[in-house]
Coordinates of all heavy atoms in Angstrom, one line a residue:
M93 N 98.6 -20.6 12.1 CA 97.8 -19.7 11.3 C 97.5 -18.4 12.1 O 97.3 -17.4 11.5 CB 96.5 -20.3 10.9 CG 96.7 -21.4 10.0 SD 95.1 -21.3 9.2 CE 95.4 -21.9 7.7
N94 N 97.5 -18.4 13.3 CA 97.3 -17.2 14.2 C 98.6 -16.6 14.4 O 99.5 -17.1 15.0 CB 96.6 -17.6 15.5 CG 95.3 -18.1 15.4 OD1 94.6 -17.8 14.4 ND2 94.7 -18.8 16.4
S95 N 98.6 -15.5 13.7 CA 99.9 -14.7 13.8 C 99.7 -13.6 14.9 O 98.5 -13.2 15.1 CB 100.3 -14.0 12.6 OG 99.3 -13.1 12.1
P96 N 100.7 -13.2 15.5 CA 100.5 -12.2 16.6 C 100.1 -10.7 16.0 O 99.6 -10.0 16.9 CB 101.9 -12.0 17.2 CG 102.8 -12.7 16.3 CD 102.1 -13.6 15.4
D97 N 100.3 -10.5 14.8 CA 99.8 -9.3 14.2 C 98.2 -9.1 14.0 O 97.8 -8.0 13.9 CB 100.5 -9.0 12.9 CG 102.0 -8.9 13.0 OD1 102.4 -8.4 14.1 OD2 102.7 -9.1 12.1
L98 N 97.6 -10.2 13.9 CA 96.2 -10.3 13.6 C 95.4 -10.5 14.9 O 95.0 -11.6 15.2 CB 95.9 -11.3 12.6 CG 96.5 -11.3 11.2 CD1 96.1 -12.5 10.4 CD2 96.0 -9.9 10.5
K99 N 95.2 -9.4 15.6 CA 94.4 -9.5 16.8 C 93.0 -8.9 16.6 O 92.8 -8.1 15.8 CB 95.0 -8.5 17.9 CG 96.4 -9.0 18.5 CD 96.8 -8.1 19.6 CE 98.1 -8.6 20.2 NZ 98.6 -7.7 21.3
A100 N 92.1 -9.6 17.3 CA 90.8 -9.2 17.2 C 90.5 -7.8 17.8 O 91.0 -7.6 19.0 CB 89.8 -10.2 17.8
K101 N 89.9 -6.9 17.1 CA 89.7 -5.5 17.6 C 88.3 -5.3 17.9 O 87.4 -5.9 17.1 CB 90.2 -4.5 16.5 CG 91.6 -4.5 16.3 CD 91.9 -3.4 15.3 CE 93.4 -3.4 15.0 NZ 93.8 -2.2 14.1
A102 N 88.0 -4.6 19.0 CA 86.6 -4.4 19.3 C 86.2 -3.3 18.5 O 86.7 -2.2 18.4 CB 86.4 -4.1 20.8
I103 N 84.9 -3.4 17.9 CA 84.4 -2.3 17.0 C 83.3 -1.6 17.9 O 82.4 -2.4 18.3 CB 83.8 -2.8 15.8 CG1 85.0 -3.5 14.9 CG2 83.1 -1.7 15.0 CD1 84.5 -4.1 13.7
P104 N 83.4 -0.4 18.2 CA 82.3 0.2 19.0 C 81.0 0.3 18.2 O 81.0 0.5 17.1 CB 82.8 1.7 19.3 CG 83.9 2.0 18.2 CD 84.4 0.7 17.9
Y105 N 79.9 0.1 19.0 CA 78.6 0.1 18.5 C 78.1 1.5 18.1 O 78.2 2.3 19.2 CB 77.6 -0.7 19.3 CG 76.2 -0.5 18.9 CD1 75.8 -1.2 17.7 CD2 75.3 0.2 19.5 CE1 74.5 -1.0 17.2 CE2 74.0 0.4 19.0 CZ 73.5 -0.3 17.9 OH 72.2 -0.1 17.4
R106 N 77.8 1.9 17.0 CA 77.2 3.2 16.7 C 75.8 3.0 16.2 O 75.6 2.4 15.2 CB 78.0 3.9 15.7 CG 79.4 4.2 16.1 CD 80.1 4.9 15.0 NE 81.5 5.2 15.3 CZ 82.5 5.3 14.4 NH1 82.3 5.1 13.2 NH2 83.7 5.4 14.9
P107 N 74.9 3.5 17.0 CA 73.4 3.4 16.6 C 73.3 4.2 15.2 O 73.9 5.3 15.0 CB 72.7 3.9 17.7 CG 73.6 4.8 18.4 CD 75.0 4.3 18.2
R108 N 72.5 3.7 14.3 CA 72.2 4.3 13.1 C 71.4 5.6 13.3 O 70.5 5.5 14.0 CB 71.4 3.3 12.2 CG 72.3 2.1 11.8 CD 71.7 1.3 10.7 NE 71.9 2.1 9.5 CZ 71.2 1.8 8.3 NH1 70.3 0.9 8.3 NH2 71.4 2.6 7.3
R109 N 71.7 6.5 12.5 CA 70.9 7.7 12.6 C 69.7 7.6 11.9 O 69.6 6.8 10.9 CB 71.8 8.8 11.9 CG 71.2 10.2 11.9 CD 72.2 11.2 11.3 NE 72.0 11.4 9.9 CZ 71.2 12.3 9.3 NH1 70.4 13.0 10.1 NH2 71.1 12.5 8.0
A110 N 68.6 8.3 12.3 CA 67.4 8.2 11.7 C 67.4 8.7 10.1 O 68.3 9.5 9.9 CB 66.3 9.0 12.4
A111 N 66.8 8.0 9.3 CA 66.8 8.5 7.9 C 66.6 9.9 7.7 O 67.1 10.7 7.0 CB 65.9 7.6 7.0
L112 N 65.4 10.4 8.4 CA 65.0 11.9 8.3 C 64.9 12.4 9.7 O 64.4 11.7 10.6 CB 63.8 12.1 7.6 CG 63.7 11.6 6.2 CD1 62.3 11.7 5.6 CD2 64.6 12.5 5.2
N113 N 65.4 13.6 10.0 CA 65.2 14.3 11.3 C 64.2 15.3 11.1 O 63.7 15.6 10.1 CB 66.4 14.6 11.9 CG 67.2 15.6 11.1 OD1 66.6 16.3 10.2 ND2 68.5 15.8 11.4
W114 N 63.9 16.1 12.2 CA 62.8 17.1 12.3 C 63.2 18.2 11.3 O 62.3 18.9 10.7 CB 62.6 17.6 13.7 CG 63.8 18.3 14.3 CD1 64.8 17.7 14.9 CD2 64.1 19.7 14.2 NE1 65.7 18.7 15.4 CE2 65.2 20.0 14.9 CE3 63.3 20.8 13.7 CZ2 65.7 21.3 15.1 CZ3 63.7 22.0 13.8 CH2 64.9 22.3 14.5
V115 N 64.4 18.6 11.0 CA 64.8 19.6 10.1 C 64.5 19.2 8.7 O 63.9 20.0 7.8 CB 66.3 19.9 10.2 CG1 66.7 21.0 9.2 CG2 66.7 20.5 11.6
D116 N 64.7 17.9 8.4 CA 64.3 17.4 7.0 C 62.7 17.5 6.9 O 62.3 17.9 5.7 CB 64.8 16.0 6.9 CG 66.3 15.8 6.9 OD1 66.9 16.8 6.5 OD2 66.7 14.8 7.5
Y117 N 62.0 17.2 7.9 CA 60.6 17.3 7.7 C 60.1 18.8 7.6 O 59.2 19.1 6.8 CB 59.9 16.6 8.9 CG 59.9 15.1 9.0 CD1 60.6 14.5 9.9 CD2 59.4 14.4 7.8 CE1 60.8 13.1 9.9 CE2 59.5 13.0 7.9 CZ 60.2 12.5 9.0 OH 60.4 11.0 9.0
L118 N 60.8 19.7 8.3 CA 60.4 21.1 8.1 C 60.7 21.5 6.7 O 59.9 22.3 6.1 CB 61.3 21.9 9.1 CG 60.8 22.1 10.5 CD1 61.8 23.0 11.4 CD2 59.4 22.8 10.4
V119 N 61.8 21.2 6.1 CA 62.2 21.6 4.7 C 61.2 21.0 3.8 O 60.7 21.7 2.9 CB 63.6 21.1 4.4 CG1 63.9 21.3 2.8 CG2 64.7 21.9 5.3
I120 N 60.7 19.8 4.0 CA 59.7 19.2 3.1 C 58.4 19.9 3.1 O 57.9 20.2 2.2 CB 59.6 17.7 3.4 CG1 60.9 16.8 3.1 CG2 58.4 17.0 2.8 CD1 60.9 15.5 3.5
A121 N 58.0 20.2 4.4 CA 56.8 20.9 4.6 C 56.8 22.4 4.0 O 55.9 22.7 3.4 CB 56.5 21.1 6.1
A122 N 57.9 23.0 4.1 CA 58.1 24.4 3.6 C 58.0 24.3 2.1 O 57.4 25.2 1.4 CB 59.4 25.0 4.0
T123 N 58.6 23.3 1.4 CA 58.6 23.2 0.0 C 57.2 22.9 -0.5 O 56.8 23.5 -1.5 CB 59.6 22.0 -0.4 OG1 61.0 22.2 0.1 CG2 59.7 21.9 -1.9
A124 N 56.5 21.9 0.2 CA 55.2 21.6 -0.3 C 54.3 22.9 -0.1 O 53.5 23.2 -0.9 CB 54.7 20.5 0.5
L125 N 54.4 23.7 1.0 CA 53.6 24.9 1.2 C 53.9 25.9 0.2 O 52.9 26.6 -0.4 CB 53.9 25.5 2.7 CG 53.1 26.7 3.0 CD1 51.7 26.4 3.1 CD2 53.5 27.2 4.3
T126 N 55.2 26.1 -0.2 CA 55.5 27.1 -1.2 C 54.9 26.7 -2.6 O 54.4 27.6 -3.2 CB 57.1 27.2 -1.3 OG1 57.7 27.5 0.0 CG2 57.5 28.2 -2.4
F127 N 55.0 25.5 -2.9 CA 54.4 25.0 -4.1 C 53.0 25.2 -4.2 O 52.4 25.7 -5.2 CB 54.8 23.5 -4.3 CG 54.3 22.9 -5.6 CD1 54.8 23.2 -6.8 CD2 53.1 22.1 -5.6 CE1 54.3 22.5 -8.0 CE2 52.5 21.6 -6.7 CZ 53.2 21.9 -8.0
T128 N 52.3 25.0 -3.2 CA 50.8 25.2 -3.0 C 50.5 26.6 -3.3 O 49.6 26.9 -3.9 CB 50.3 24.6 -1.6 OG1 50.7 23.2 -1.6 CG2 48.7 24.7 -1.6
V129 N 51.2 27.5 -2.5 CA 50.9 28.9 -2.6 C 51.0 29.4 -4.0 O 50.3 30.3 -4.5 CB 51.9 29.7 -1.7 CG1 51.9 31.2 -1.9 CG2 51.4 29.4 -0.2
V130 N 52.2 29.0 -4.7 CA 52.4 29.4 -6.1 C 51.3 28.9 -7.0 O 50.8 29.6 -7.8 CB 53.8 28.9 -6.6 CG1 53.9 29.0 -8.0 CG2 54.9 29.6 -5.9
V131 N 50.9 27.7 -6.8 CA 49.8 27.2 -7.7 C 48.4 27.9 -7.5 O 47.8 28.2 -8.4 CB 49.7 25.7 -7.4 CG1 48.3 25.1 -8.2 CG2 50.8 24.8 -8.0
V132 N 48.1 28.2 -6.2 CA 47.0 28.9 -5.9 C 46.9 30.3 -6.4 O 46.1 30.8 -6.8 CB 46.6 28.8 -4.3 CG1 45.6 29.8 -3.9 CG2 46.3 27.4 -3.9
A133 N 48.1 30.9 -6.3 CA 48.2 32.4 -6.7 C 48.1 32.5 -8.1 O 47.6 33.4 -8.7 CB 49.6 32.9 -6.4
N134 N 48.6 31.5 -9.0 CA 48.5 31.4 -10.4 C 47.1 31.2 -10.9 O 46.8 31.5 -12.0 CB 49.6 30.7 -11.0 CG 50.9 31.4 -10.9 OD1 51.0 32.5 -10.9 ND2 51.9 30.6 -10.6
K135 N 46.4 30.2 -10.2 CA 45.1 29.7 -10.6 C 45.0 29.5 -12.1 O 44.4 30.2 -12.9 CB 44.1 30.9 -10.3 CG 43.9 31.1 -8.9 CD 42.7 32.1 -8.6 CE 42.7 32.6 -7.2 NZ 41.7 33.7 -7.0
P136 N 45.7 28.5 -12.5 CA 45.8 28.2 -13.9 C 44.4 28.0 -14.7 O 44.2 28.5 -15.7 CB 46.7 27.0 -14.2 CG 46.6 26.3 -12.8 CD 46.4 27.4 -11.8
H137 N 43.5 27.4 -14.0 CA 42.2 27.0 -14.7 C 41.3 28.3 -14.7 O 40.7 28.5 -15.6 CB 41.5 25.9 -13.9 CG 42.3 24.6 -13.9 ND1 42.5 24.0 -15.1 CD2 42.9 23.9 -12.9 CE1 43.2 22.9 -14.9 NE2 43.5 22.8 -13.5
A138 N 41.4 29.1 -13.5 CA 40.6 30.3 -13.5 C 41.1 31.4 -14.5 O 40.3 32.0 -15.2 CB 40.6 30.8 -12.1
A139 N 42.4 31.4 -14.7 CA 43.0 32.4 -15.7 C 42.5 31.9 -17.1 O 42.2 32.9 -17.9 CB 44.5 32.3 -15.6
R140 N 42.5 30.7 -17.4 CA 42.0 30.4 -18.8 C 40.5 30.6 -19.0 O 40.1 31.2 -19.9 CB 42.2 28.9 -19.0 CG 43.6 28.6 -19.6 CD 43.8 27.1 -19.9 NE 44.5 26.5 -18.9 CZ 44.2 25.3 -18.4 NH1 43.4 24.5 -19.1 NH2 44.9 24.8 -17.5
A141 N 39.7 30.4 -18.0 CA 38.3 30.8 -18.1 C 38.1 32.2 -18.2 O 37.2 32.7 -18.9 CB 37.5 30.1 -16.9
E142 N 38.8 33.0 -17.4 CA 38.6 34.4 -17.4 C 39.1 35.1 -18.7 O 38.5 36.0 -19.2 CB 39.6 35.0 -16.4 CG 39.4 36.5 -16.1 CD 40.3 37.1 -15.0 OE1 40.4 36.4 -14.0 OE2 40.9 38.1 -15.1
T143 N 40.2 34.5 -19.4 CA 40.5 35.2 -20.6 C 39.4 34.9 -21.7 O 39.3 35.7 -22.7 CB 41.9 34.7 -21.1 OG1 41.8 33.2 -21.2 CG2 43.0 35.2 -20.2
R144 N 38.8 33.8 -21.7 CA 37.7 33.5 -22.7 C 36.6 34.4 -22.5 O 36.1 34.9 -23.5 CB 37.2 32.0 -22.5 CG 38.3 31.1 -23.0 CD 37.6 29.7 -23.1 NE 38.6 28.6 -23.1 CZ 38.8 27.7 -22.3 NH1 38.0 27.5 -21.3 NH2 39.8 26.9 -22.6
S145 N 36.2 34.9 -21.3 CA 35.0 35.7 -21.1 C 35.4 37.2 -21.3 O 34.4 38.0 -21.4 CB 34.6 35.4 -19.7 OG 35.5 35.9 -18.7
T146 N 36.7 37.5 -21.4 CA 36.9 39.0 -21.5 C 37.2 39.3 -23.0 O 37.8 40.4 -23.1 CB 38.1 39.3 -20.7 OG1 39.2 38.6 -20.9 CG2 37.7 39.2 -19.2
I147 N 36.9 38.5 -24.0 CA 37.3 38.7 -25.3 C 36.2 39.7 -25.8 O 35.0 39.5 -25.6 CB 37.3 37.5 -26.2 CG1 38.6 36.7 -25.8 CG2 37.4 37.9 -27.6 CD1 38.6 35.3 -26.5
I148 N 36.7 40.8 -26.4 CA 35.7 41.9 -26.9 C 35.4 41.5 -28.4 O 36.3 41.4 -29.2 CB 36.2 43.2 -26.7 CG1 36.6 43.5 -25.3 CG2 35.3 44.3 -27.3 CD1 37.2 44.9 -25.1
P149 N 34.2 41.4 -28.7 CA 33.9 41.2 -30.1 C 34.2 42.3 -31.0 O 34.3 43.5 -30.5 CB 32.3 40.9 -30.2 CG 32.0 40.7 -28.7 CD 33.0 41.4 -27.9
A150 N 34.5 42.1 -32.3 CA 34.9 43.2 -33.1 C 33.9 44.3 -33.3 O 34.3 45.5 -33.5 CB 35.3 42.6 -34.6
D151 N 32.7 44.1 -33.2 CA 31.7 45.1 -33.4 C 31.6 46.0 -32.2 O 31.1 47.2 -32.2 CB 30.3 44.6 -33.7 CG 29.8 43.6 -32.5 OD1 30.6 43.1 -31.9 OD2 28.5 43.3 -32.6
E152 N 32.2 45.5 -31.0 CA 32.2 46.4 -29.8 C 33.5 47.2 -29.6 O 33.6 48.0 -28.7 CB 32.0 45.6 -28.6 CG 30.6 44.9 -28.4 CD 30.4 44.1 -27.2 OE1 31.2 44.2 -26.3 OE2 29.5 43.3 -27.2
L153 N 34.5 47.0 -30.5 CA 35.7 47.7 -30.4 C 35.4 49.1 -30.9 O 34.7 49.4 -31.7 CB 36.8 47.1 -31.3 CG 37.3 45.7 -30.8 CD1 38.2 45.2 -31.9 CD2 38.0 45.8 -29.5
P154 N 36.3 50.0 -30.2 CA 36.1 51.5 -30.6 C 36.7 51.7 -32.0 O 37.6 51.0 -32.5 CB 36.9 52.2 -29.6 CG 37.8 51.2 -29.0 CD 37.1 49.9 -29.1
S155 N 36.2 52.6 -32.7 CA 36.5 53.0 -34.1 C 38.1 53.4 -34.1 O 38.5 54.2 -33.2 CB 35.7 54.1 -34.6 OG 36.2 54.5 -35.9
Q156 N 38.8 52.9 -35.1 CA 40.3 53.2 -35.2 C 40.4 54.4 -36.0 O 41.6 54.9 -36.3 CB 41.0 52.0 -35.6 CG 40.9 50.8 -34.8 CD 41.6 51.2 -33.4 OE1 42.6 51.7 -33.4 NE2 40.9 50.6 -32.3
D157 N 39.4 54.8 -36.7 CA 39.4 56.1 -37.6 C 39.5 57.3 -36.8 O 38.7 57.7 -36.0 CB 38.2 56.0 -38.4 CG 38.3 57.3 -39.5 OD1 39.5 57.7 -39.8 OD2 37.3 57.6 -39.9
A158 N 40.7 58.0 -37.0 CA 40.9 59.2 -36.2 C 40.2 60.4 -36.9 O 40.2 61.5 -36.3 CB 42.4 59.5 -36.0
G159 N 39.8 60.3 -38.1 CA 39.1 61.3 -38.8 C 40.1 62.4 -39.4 O 39.7 63.4 -39.8
L160 N 41.2 61.9 -39.5 CA 42.3 62.9 -40.2 C 42.1 63.0 -41.7 O 42.4 64.0 -42.3 CB 43.7 62.4 -39.9 CG 44.2 62.7 -38.5 CD1 45.6 62.1 -38.3 CD2 44.1 64.0 -38.1
A161 N 41.5 62.0 -42.2 CA 41.2 62.0 -43.6 C 40.2 63.1 -44.1 O 40.4 63.6 -45.2 CB 40.7 60.7 -44.2
N162 N 39.4 63.4 -43.2 CA 38.4 64.5 -43.4 C 39.0 65.9 -43.2 O 38.4 66.9 -43.6 CB 37.2 64.3 -42.6 CG 36.6 63.0 -42.8 OD1 36.6 62.4 -43.8 ND2 35.9 62.5 -41.8
Q163 N 40.1 65.9 -42.6 CA 40.8 67.3 -42.2 C 42.1 67.4 -42.9 O 43.1 67.3 -42.3 CB 40.9 67.4 -40.7 CG 39.5 67.2 -39.9 CD 39.7 67.2 -38.5 OE1 40.8 67.1 -38.1 NE2 38.6 67.2 -37.8
A164 N 42.1 67.6 -44.2 CA 43.3 67.7 -44.9 C 44.3 68.9 -44.6 O 45.4 68.8 -44.5 CB 43.0 67.8 -46.4
G165 N 43.5 69.9 -44.1 CA 44.4 71.1 -43.6 C 45.2 70.7 -42.4 O 46.3 71.3 -42.2
L166 N 44.7 69.9 -41.6 CA 45.3 69.5 -40.4 C 46.5 68.7 -40.7 O 47.7 68.9 -40.1 CB 44.5 68.7 -39.3 CG 45.1 68.3 -38.1 CD1 45.5 69.5 -37.2 CD2 44.2 67.6 -37.2
I167 N 46.4 67.8 -41.7 CA 47.6 67.0 -42.2 C 48.7 67.9 -42.7 O 49.8 67.7 -42.4 CB 47.0 66.0 -43.1 CG1 46.1 64.9 -42.5 CG2 48.3 65.2 -43.7 CD1 45.5 64.0 -43.4
K168 N 48.2 68.8 -43.5 CA 49.2 69.7 -44.2 C 49.9 70.6 -43.1 O 51.1 70.8 -43.1 CB 48.6 70.8 -45.1 CG 48.1 70.1 -46.3 CD 47.4 70.9 -47.3 CE 46.8 70.3 -48.5 NZ 45.9 71.1 -49.4
A169 N 49.2 70.9 -42.1 CA 49.9 71.8 -40.9 C 50.9 70.9 -40.2 O 52.0 71.4 -39.8 CB 48.8 72.2 -39.9
R170 N 50.6 69.6 -40.0 CA 51.6 68.8 -39.3 C 52.8 68.6 -40.1 O 53.9 68.5 -39.6 CB 50.8 67.5 -39.0 CG 49.8 67.7 -37.9 CD 49.3 66.3 -37.4 NE 50.2 65.8 -36.3 CZ 50.1 64.8 -35.7 NH1 49.1 63.9 -36.1 NH2 50.9 64.4 -34.8
I171 N 52.5 68.3 -41.4 CA 53.7 68.2 -42.4 C 54.6 69.5 -42.3 O 55.8 69.5 -42.2 CB 53.3 67.8 -43.8 CG1 52.6 66.4 -43.8 CG2 54.4 67.9 -44.8 CD1 51.9 66.1 -45.1
G172 N 53.9 70.6 -42.4 CA 54.6 71.9 -42.4 C 55.5 72.1 -41.0 O 56.6 72.6 -41.0
L173 N 54.8 71.7 -39.8 CA 55.5 71.7 -38.6 C 56.7 70.9 -38.6 O 57.9 71.2 -38.0 CB 54.5 71.5 -37.5 CG 53.6 72.6 -37.1 CD1 52.6 72.1 -36.1 CD2 54.3 73.7 -36.6
A174 N 56.6 69.7 -39.2 CA 57.6 68.7 -39.1 C 58.8 69.2 -40.0 O 60.0 69.0 -39.6 CB 57.2 67.3 -39.5
L175 N 58.5 69.9 -41.2 CA 59.6 70.3 -42.0 C 60.2 71.6 -41.5 O 61.4 71.8 -41.7 CB 59.0 70.7 -43.4 CG 58.5 69.5 -44.3 CD1 57.9 69.9 -45.5 CD2 59.6 68.5 -44.5
A176 N 59.4 72.4 -40.7 CA 60.1 73.6 -40.2 C 60.9 73.3 -39.0 O 61.8 74.2 -38.6 CB 58.9 74.5 -39.7
G177 N 60.7 72.2 -38.4 CA 61.5 71.8 -37.2 C 62.9 71.2 -37.6 O 63.7 71.1 -36.6
R178 N 63.1 70.9 -38.8 CA 64.4 70.4 -39.1 C 65.5 71.3 -39.2 O 65.8 72.4 -39.4 CB 64.3 69.8 -40.5 CG 63.5 68.5 -40.5 CD 63.7 67.8 -41.9 NE 63.0 66.6 -41.7 CZ 62.8 65.8 -42.9 NH1 63.4 66.0 -44.0 NH2 62.2 64.7 -42.7

């Protein structure tokens, strides 16, 4: 059964590499720090609370009436300028 072609070969021992090295830990730390900075910069809870407090009630809004209805001559003049410019 022992043939001359089947010789036992010595396999050199190679120690296993650590699962994570220091560069991997640096990358993980940088990712966590970046995520934290983005979350703090956006402040999702503070932004929601801030938008609720800055709503202006309708009675405090400035009037949207420009008063052109009371000045018919001004409207006619603007129409005349628009027609003259053609």
Side-chain angles (χ1 to χ4, degrees):
M93 291 209 154
N94 289 340
S95 68
D97 294 332
L98 297 176
K99 291 185 179 180
K101 294 183 180 180
I103 299 174
Y105 172 73
R106 292 185 186 148
R108 293 192 72 196
R109 184 174 92 86
L112 297 174
N113 60 17
W114 66 273
V115 175
D116 297 328
Y117 289 115
L118 275 177
V119 171
I120 293 169
T123 304
L125 181 65
T126 303
F127 179 77
T128 304
V129 167
V130 168
V131 168
V132 168
N134 287 325
K135 295 181 191 176
H137 300 294
R140 272 189 259 144
E142 184 178 322
T143 56
R144 288 188 192 128
S145 65
T146 58
I147 294 175
I148 300 172
D151 57 341
E152 293 181 15
L153 289 174
S155 174
Q156 299 295 319
D157 181 25
L160 290 179
N162 300 336
Q163 301 172 358
L166 183 59
I167 294 173
K168 289 178 185 176
R170 292 189 83 187
I171 292 172
L173 285 173
L175 291 176
R178 285 186 178 182

